[in-house]
Amino acid sequence: MNVLDAEFVLGFMRMANDGWEQGWHERNGGNLSYRIKPEEVNSVKEQFVPKQWEPIGTTVPKLANEYFLVTGSGKYFRNILIKPEDSVCIIELDDKGENYRIVWGLVNGKRPTSELPSHLMNHEVKMSVSSGRHHVIYHAHPTNVIALTFVLPLKDEVFTRELWEMATECPVVFPDGIGVVPWMVPGGREIAAATSELMKQYDVAIWAHHGMFASGEDFDLTFGLMHTVEKSAEILVKTLSMRPDKLQTITPQNFRDLAVDFKVSLPEKFLYEK
Ligand code: 2HA
Ligand code: ZN
């Protein structure tokens, strides 16, 4: 099958374009990766032309021999639908999880996303803790979440609780909460290690003054998670813009009641008294 006809590729491109239309991908901001299932690899692999091996910049032994569809470094999300072969690539990892090679795409040169270490270390953690169910890692620059990193304490408990409070669906959509990475230089192993450590507990990690990472099973769930967190952040920004306090809100006991009916478990560390 032609790579561009494969359902996982069409789903990837649609999600990337949805993120562009949300305004989360100015210039070349953000990146997306998908751990391709073996049957999907088989359906397109006659089109693969392997290039030379390159170091990943970190080691991900549990991802040895896996294939990923990833956005390209310096590529613009707004171009993915119209020139996918120029904007994205499929990479294969070696049998140690130390090197990658491009097997399809990026026809005009360039490398996979500058955040490849973060993507792959997140995939490695999520593959383990989700028993292989998570396939998508998404990094975006959503405006309202970034704005909040200038005014809220950079603590997991605070971001989780404040964002849970702004929309009743939030504790159901991300019951495990949200992690926060302090400002760090992007692109390297250090920020990747900090993010993947948080991904052991959470499906969402916020990078202070930069953006957000989300992990999920498929494109709908992962896009929906990013969208839900950013929508909640937008409501908080609007509320704080009207007045600094709330007249009423969802209380810790309200959350406990919701948890029973919706059969989610909400860690008590987020249900502190203010
Ligand atoms: O430019 O978003 O974090 C891509 C990025 C780097
Ligand atoms: Zn970024």
Side-chain angles (χ1 to χ4, degrees), residues 124-185:
E124 187 177 46
V125 163
K126 279 302 183 189
M127 195 171 80
S128 295
V129 299
S130 76
S131 311
R133 284 181 293 110
H134 278 217
H135 285 268
V136 184
I137 299 287
Y138 182 30
H139 171 58
H141 296 171
T143 311
N144 293 285
V145 163
I146 297 169
L148 290 177
T149 67
F150 294 92
V151 299
L152 292 183
L154 298 176
K155 293 198 163 74
D156 304 0
E157 287 76 10
V158 174
F159 269 81
T160 301
R161 174 64 175 279
E162 294 304 319
L163 293 173
W164 277 2
E165 269 185 48
M166 303 321 291
T168 297
E169 67 174 329
C170 285
V172 180
V173 174
F174 49 96
D176 298 332
I178 292 179
V180 184
V181 180
W183 189 89
M184 292 174 79
V185 176

Side-chain angles (χ1 to χ4, degrees), residues 20-240:
W20 155 248
E21 288 184 349
Q22 289 295 326
W24 301 338
H25 298 286
E26 74 291 340
R27 201 172 182 276
N28 60 319
N31 20 79
L32 176 62
S33 65
Y34 173 73
R35 185 166 58 83
I36 308 173
K37 298 172 183 168
E39 64 273 22
E40 293 168 333
V41 172
N42 282 334
S43 72
V44 294
K45 73 169 182 236
E46 75 266 21
Q47 306 232 311
F48 291 173
V49 181
K51 305 269 176 14
Q52 72 277 18
W53 292 104
E54 305 280 351
I56 294 168
T58 189
T59 313
V60 284
K62 294 200 186 92
L63 298 179
N65 306 313
E66 294 276 345
Y67 289 81
F68 296 85
L69 178 58
V70 297
T71 49
S73 174
K75 298 297 180 180
Y76 290 34
F77 269 53
R78 66 184 280 263
N79 291 335
I80 289 178
L81 273 190
I82 55 160
K83 39 180 182 174
E85 296 110 317
D86 172 70
S87 306
V88 308
C89 64
I90 295 176
I91 58 169
E92 175 189 9
L93 303 200
D94 69 6
D95 57 7
K96 293 200 174 69
E98 286 174 359
N99 300 288
Y100 73 85
R101 62 179 178 184
I102 294 172
V103 298
W104 177 89
L106 286 179
V107 290
N108 298 309
K110 291 241 176 185
R111 307 158 71 80
T113 167
S114 60
E115 302 293 358
L116 191 63
S118 279
H119 277 261
L120 293 181
M121 289 179 82
N122 288 341
H123 274 293
E124 187 177 46
V125 163
K126 279 302 183 189
M127 195 171 80
S128 295
V129 299
S130 76
S131 311
R133 284 181 293 110
H134 278 217
H135 285 268
V136 184
I137 299 287
Y138 182 30
H139 171 58
H141 296 171
T143 311
N144 293 285
V145 163
I146 297 169
L148 290 177
T149 67
F150 294 92
V151 299
L152 292 183
L154 298 176
K155 293 198 163 74
D156 304 0
E157 287 76 10
V158 174
F159 269 81
T160 301
R161 174 64 175 279
E162 294 304 319
L163 293 173
W164 277 2
E165 269 185 48
M166 303 321 291
T168 297
E169 67 174 329
C170 285
V172 180
V173 174
F174 49 96
D176 298 332
I178 292 179
V180 184
V181 180
W183 189 89
M184 292 174 79
V185 176
R189 206 196 158 274
E190 204 185 336
I191 196 167
T195 310
S196 61
E197 187 59 33
L198 292 173
M199 284 290 181
K200 290 178 184 167
Q201 301 174 58
Y202 308 119
D203 291 339
V204 182
I206 291 172
W207 281 4
H209 324 324
H210 182 147
M212 178 156 54
F213 266 85
S215 172
E217 294 180 26
D218 60 27
F219 299 121
D220 282 346
L221 286 165
T222 314
F223 185 83
L225 178 57
M226 181 75 71
H227 202 187
T228 304
V229 174
E230 170 59 4
K231 172 84 181 269
S232 189
E234 182 178 355
I235 299 169
L236 183 52
V237 167
K238 288 191 167 153
T239 305
L240 291 171

